[in-house]
Amino acid sequence: MSDNVQIIKPTNFIRNQINTDLDSGLHNSILTRFPPEPNGFLHIGHAKSICLNFGTAKDYDGRCNLRFDDTNPAKEDIEYVHSIKQDIQWLGFDWSGEVKYSSSYFDKFYQCAEELISKGLAYVCFLSAVETHEYRGTLKQPGQNSPNRDTSIEQNKILFKKMKEGKFKEGECVLRAKIDMSSSFMCMRDPTLYRIRFETHHQTNNDWCIYPMYDFAHCIGDAIEGVTHSLCTLEFQDNRRIYDWLLEHLDEFNKTDRPHQYEFSRLNLEYATTSKRKLKILVDSNHVSGWNDPRMPTISGLRRRGYTPASIRDFSERVGVSKVNSLTDVSILESSVRNDLNAMAPRSMAVVNPIKLVIENYPNDKIEPLKAPVHPQNEAMGNREIFFSREIYIDKEDFTEVPPNNKYKRLAINKEVRLRNAYVIKATHFDSDNDGNIKTVYCTYDPDTLGKNPSDGRKVKGVIHFVESSKAISAEFRIYDRLFLESNPAKFDDLSSSINPNSLEIKNGFVEPSLASAKAEKAYQFEREGYFCRDSESEGLVFNKTVGLRDTWNQ
Ligand code: ATP
Ligand code: MG
C-alpha cells in the first residue's frame, strides 16, 4: 500500500473511546477479547462480535485474546471448544498467544473472593432460591438484607472454605458480594459471586465444586489478561456497575489503566434466531440435521451453505456497531455473499429440473467439445471445456409450448433461443406423458451461430443453459428457504410453531462433467440458477444453494 492510501473505516463509539484512550496515554496499545461460553456452536451474532473484537484490535495494531468463558460446567462440552476455534480461524482471525480459559484462573478467583471476604465485602448466604428472590425486592421496592449479611469476617472465611471443600450441598448456600440491597440497579443488590456445583469440568475435572458467576469471573479475567476494552452486548449494561465495583475493590486490579466494559447492541437477524439455547433445541429436536445444517445461522452452517469468510466480514462491517437493538434484514447478508461470489465464483452449468432436448439436425454420433469462460468478466480465470451433442438437458422452466406474452425470452415452439456458450436453437415439437408433463422437446440448431449472431440479422434475445446428456453427471440440489415463517421468531418461546415446513427442497438433475471434482464448500455460479457449493457432509455430488443471483424476497 502506498503511504498516502488510508483505510477509512466508519467510526463508532468504541473506536472513539479507543482513540481517546490512546491519545490521552491511558493505554499504549489495546487488548480486546472474545469470550465465548463453550455451550454451543457460534452463530452470525458471534461473528459480529468476533469481527468487532479481532477486527478492531487488528486495525489498531493491538491484540485480541480468545478466552473460553467456561464457568458453567453443566452445559459445556469440549466439542464446542473445537468448533469455536475452527470458526474463528475460518473467519480469518487469530488470537493472541495461547487460547485462554476462565477456568485456568479458578485459583485467582478464589483468592479474590477471600480478599473481598477479608474486607467485609462478601458473605456466605444460606437463603433458599425462593427466599433470595423475595428478599431481592422489585424495581419499585428496595430489597431486604439477608439474615447472613452480618456474619463475621472470620466466620465467612470458614464457611467459604467449607463451600470449597464440598461440605455443603448444591444450592445450600452461595457467596454474595455485600453491596447495596436498596440499589436502583437490581444487579447491585448483593449479587451472587460463587455457587456450588458438583459437576465434572472439561478442563479442571473434579478439582472444584464451587464455580464463579459470570459477573465475578469476567472482569477479573479481563484484568488478569490486561484487557483494555471489554466489549459486550447491551444486556450487560447494568452489570457494568458490578464490573467496576469488583475491580475497584480488589487491590491488585484497582488501577487507572484497568479494563473497562463497553456495550453494543446484539445482532438479531430476520427469519433466524441467535439464541444458542434455541439453536440447540432445533438440533436436539431434529428440526435441522445438526449445528451445521445449511439452514442454520451458525458460522458452520453458513460455511457449509457456501458463505465465504469475506462475505461475513463484509456483512459485519455493514451492520456496524450501535447501541440500538434492531432486527437486521437478511437481504444484507445475502447481498454480501452475492457480491463476493459474483466476483470470484467460477461459472458452470447445471440443470436442476431436467427435460431432454433433441436437436434433430445435429449428427447422431458426434460429441463436440466447446470452450466456455470460467468467468465472463475475468479472462485470467481461463476457459473450461463443455460438450454439445444431439441430446442435451435443459430446465423444464425454460420451455413452454406457447409463450405467455411477448416479453417471454425462453424456448417455445417456433421460437429461437441461444444455448449458453453454444448455438442458437429453435423448438419444433415435443412429447408429453399421459398427465400432460413435457418429456422431450425437439429442435433444430443453426450451425452458423457458435459464438456469433445469426448472419441474416435475426435477433435472438433469450439465452438458456444446458448440459450435454452423455457427459452429464447426476447431481442432487438442495434448495433452501427461510427456516422460519416469522421475520422475528424470537417473539415465540416455542419456535416449532414458526418453523417453515418447506425450508428444504431436494431436486435431482445434472451438472457439467467438470464438476465431478468440485471441492466441498467451494462456490460456483450455476449460470442463471444461482450460487451453489458442494456439500461437505454428503458422499455423492450434492450441491447446496447458497443464494440466488438476485434478491427475490421482495418481488
Ligand atoms: P446466547 O445468549 O445465545 O447463549 P451468549 O451471549 O451467552 O449467547 P457467548 O458465548 O457468551 O454467548 O457469547 C460470546 C460473545 O459473543 C459475547 O461477548 C457476546 O456478547 C457476543 N454475542 C453473543 N451473541 C451475540 C449477538 N447476537 N450479537 C452480537 N454479539 C453477540
Ligand atoms: Mg454469555
Side-chain angles (χ1 to χ4, degrees):
M1 201 186 305
S2 73
D3 286 349
N4 56 1
V5 178
Q6 277 191 332
I7 301 172
I8 310 224
K9 294 222 174 178
T11 193
N12 58 48
F13 65 95
I14 291 169
R15 286 171 174 273
N16 291 342
Q17 182 66 48
I18 293 173
N19 291 338
T20 307
D21 295 343
L22 290 173
D23 289 348
S24 71
L26 179 63
H27 301 296
N28 294 322
S29 68
I30 68 153
L31 176 64
T32 57
R33 88 287 166 266
F34 176 64
E37 264 175 75
N39 61 354
F41 281 59
L42 296 182
H43 53 60
I44 186 73
H46 293 115
K48 168 174 169 173
S49 177
I50 291 170
C51 293
L52 178 64
N53 278 294
F54 286 93
T56 308
K58 205 170 183 175
D59 290 346
Y60 282 89
D61 273 335
R63 291 172 299 133
C64 178
N65 288 347
L66 168 61
R67 183 196 320 144
F68 285 102
D69 181 18
D70 55 347
T71 52
N72 188 4
K75 292 187 179 158
E76 295 165 8
D77 196 293
I78 197 78
E79 178 201 3
Y80 300 131
V81 170
H82 294 314
S83 76
I84 290 171
K85 289 200 258 184
Q86 189 194 4
D87 287 349
I88 296 171
Q89 289 179 321
W90 178 78
L91 276 175
F93 297 108
D94 211 350
W95 43 89
S96 167
E98 299 276 295
V99 172
K100 316 279 191 289
Y101 293 88
S102 292
S103 56
S104 62
Y105 310 138
F106 279 173
D107 283 327
K108 187 77 197 177
F109 296 152
Y110 187 79
Q111 287 163 21
C112 290
E114 283 183 318
E115 182 183 337
L116 293 176
I117 295 171
S118 308
K119 290 177 171 168
L121 295 174
Y123 61 98
V124 176
C125 176
F126 287 85
L127 288 178
S128 69
V130 174
E131 288 165 334
T132 306
H133 184 75
E134 283 167 9
Y135 274 65
R136 231 175 140 221
T138 62
L139 282 174
K140 291 192 184 128
Q141 273 191 326
Q144 294 170 54
N145 286 350
S146 157
N148 308 116
R149 207 174 194 261
D150 295 320
T151 309
S152 71
I153 290 175
E154 285 317 306
Q155 187 61 17
N156 273 316
K157 281 186 183 169
I158 294 166
L159 289 171
F160 187 50
K161 190 154 173 278
K162 282 175 88 177
M163 270 176 75
K164 178 180 185 253
E165 288 167 350
K167 302 276 168 52
F168 297 116
K169 293 196 292 289
E170 236 175 68
E172 196 175 344
C173 55
V174 295
L175 184 75
R176 294 175 73 175
K178 196 169 175 178
I179 306 182
D180 178 4
M181 286 307 290
S182 57
S183 170
S184 54
F185 295 98
M186 297 291 284
C187 64
M188 294 295 271
R189 295 185 184 174
D190 292 9
T192 301
L193 304 181
Y194 262 99
R195 66 223 188 295
I196 300 169
R197 287 274 185 279
F198 290 98
E199 295 274 355
T200 304
H201 187 283
H202 54 98
Q203 303 292 327
T204 58
N205 296 314
N206 294 319
D207 291 355
W208 294 87
C209 65
I210 54 170
Y211 289 96
M213 302 299 287
Y214 171 90
D215 282 329
F216 184 63
H218 206 80
C219 55
I220 299 174
D222 284 347
I224 293 171
E225 292 174 12
V227 165
T228 54
H229 299 81
S230 181
L231 314 178
C232 67
T233 41
L234 276 179
E235 62 279 19
F236 294 101
Q237 201 159 9
D238 286 355
N239 302 50
R240 188 188 338 122
R241 273 102 197 153
I242 310 180
Y243 190 105
D244 291 339
W245 186 91
L246 284 167
L247 294 187
E248 282 161 11
H249 289 89
L250 291 166
D251 294 344
E252 187 182 339
F253 302 126
N254 184 23
K255 301 187 188 131
T256 47
D257 63 351
R258 71 169 174 83
H260 282 266
Q261 174 184 304
Y262 302 95
E263 308 86 19
F264 62 95
S265 59
R266 288 179 84 83
L267 172 81
N268 302 302
L269 189 64
E270 274 185 343
Y271 301 98
T273 172
T274 47
S275 151
K276 272 189 283 186
R277 186 179 63 80
K278 290 182 179 170
L279 291 171
K280 188 165 186 325
I281 295 173
L282 292 175
V283 174
D284 292 344
S285 54
N286 295 321
H287 284 301
V288 292
S289 64
W291 284 97
N292 68 347
D293 186 299
R295 291 165 291 181
M296 291 281 270
T298 50
I299 298 179
S300 48
L302 291 165
R303 171 165 69 230
R304 187 169 159 201
R305 175 96 176 244
Y307 276 74
T308 56
S311 66
I312 296 178
R313 293 195 303 264
D314 176 67
F315 168 72
S316 301
E317 194 82 37
R318 283 166 74 185
V319 296
V321 182
S322 81
K323 279 193 169 284
V324 185
N325 276 317
S326 63
L327 198 56
T328 297
D329 189 337
V330 63
S331 66
I332 302 178
L333 180 62
E334 293 181 341
S335 92
S336 289
V337 74
R338 204 178 276 121
N339 289 344
D340 190 32
L341 297 185
N342 182 37
M344 51 79 96
R347 273 42 175 176
S348 188
M349 292 198 284
V351 177
V352 175
N353 303 292
I355 48 168
K356 210 25 123 37
L357 187 137
V358 178
I359 298 151
E360 293 185 296
N361 61 339
Y362 196 86
N364 236 329
D365 307 327
K366 186 172 168 189
I367 296 183
E368 185 179 348
L370 299 173
K371 261 203 297 190
V374 174
H375 194 300
Q377 281 91 49
N378 185 352
E379 261 179 46
M381 289 173 81
N383 290 311
R384 65 191 204 266
E385 187 170 58
I386 60 164
F387 298 93
F388 191 72
S389 78
R390 187 182 162 88
E391 289 194 8
I392 63 174
Y393 293 110
I394 63 162
D395 199 286
K396 254 181 215 149
E397 306 280 315
D398 284 336
F399 174 75
T400 187
E401 185 179 357
V402 184
N405 52 47
N406 54 13
K407 284 199 197 132
Y408 184 83
K409 290 213 194 91
R410 289 170 275 171
L411 190 64
I413 297 298
N414 284 327
K415 198 168 149 23
E416 282 187 310
V417 290
R418 172 170 293 282
L419 290 170
R420 181 109 180 117
N421 304 307
Y423 299 93
V424 169
I425 56 168
K426 180 193 215 167
T428 53
H429 60 289
F430 63 94
D431 289 341
S432 42
D433 63 15
N434 292 340
D435 299 327
N437 299 313
I438 293 170
K439 286 278 144 208
T440 310
V441 179
Y442 298 88
C443 290
T444 56
Y445 88 118
D446 180 344
D448 201 25
T449 51
L450 184 62
K452 56 183 181 184
N453 289 326
S455 48
D456 61 6
R458 288 179 347 261
K459 289 265 178 296
V460 180
K461 289 208 189 107
V463 179
I464 64 172
H465 60 283
F466 73 99
V467 177
E468 193 281 325
S469 72
S470 69
K471 300 262 188 192
I473 309 179
S474 302
E476 176 179 310
F477 302 96
R478 297 186 182 163
I479 316 279
Y480 301 102
D481 197 352
R482 299 154 164 173
L483 190 51
F484 295 102
L485 297 166
E486 279 287 328
S487 66
N488 185 10
K491 280 196 300 206
F492 306 95
D493 203 46
D494 173 17
L495 290 180
S496 55
S497 61
S498 169
I499 287 191
N500 177 2
N502 303 315
S503 59
L504 167 63
E505 193 184 1
I506 295 184
K507 304 263 191 181
N508 289 294
F510 297 98
V511 293
E512 282 181 27
S514 65
L515 285 167
S517 56
K519 286 206 193 76
E521 292 166 8
K522 177 178 162 43
Y524 288 88
Q525 185 195 96
F526 290 166
E527 297 188 72
R528 301 184 60 243
E529 285 290 352
Y531 297 96
F532 285 77
C533 74
R534 186 166 178 177
D535 187 50
S536 53
E537 306 260 316
S538 307
E539 289 283 316
L541 270 190
V542 175
F543 290 93
N544 293 315
K545 182 167 178 178
T546 313
V547 70
L549 295 176
R550 278 172 292 279
D551 182 6
T552 49
W553 296 129
N554 300 320
Q555 285 177 8

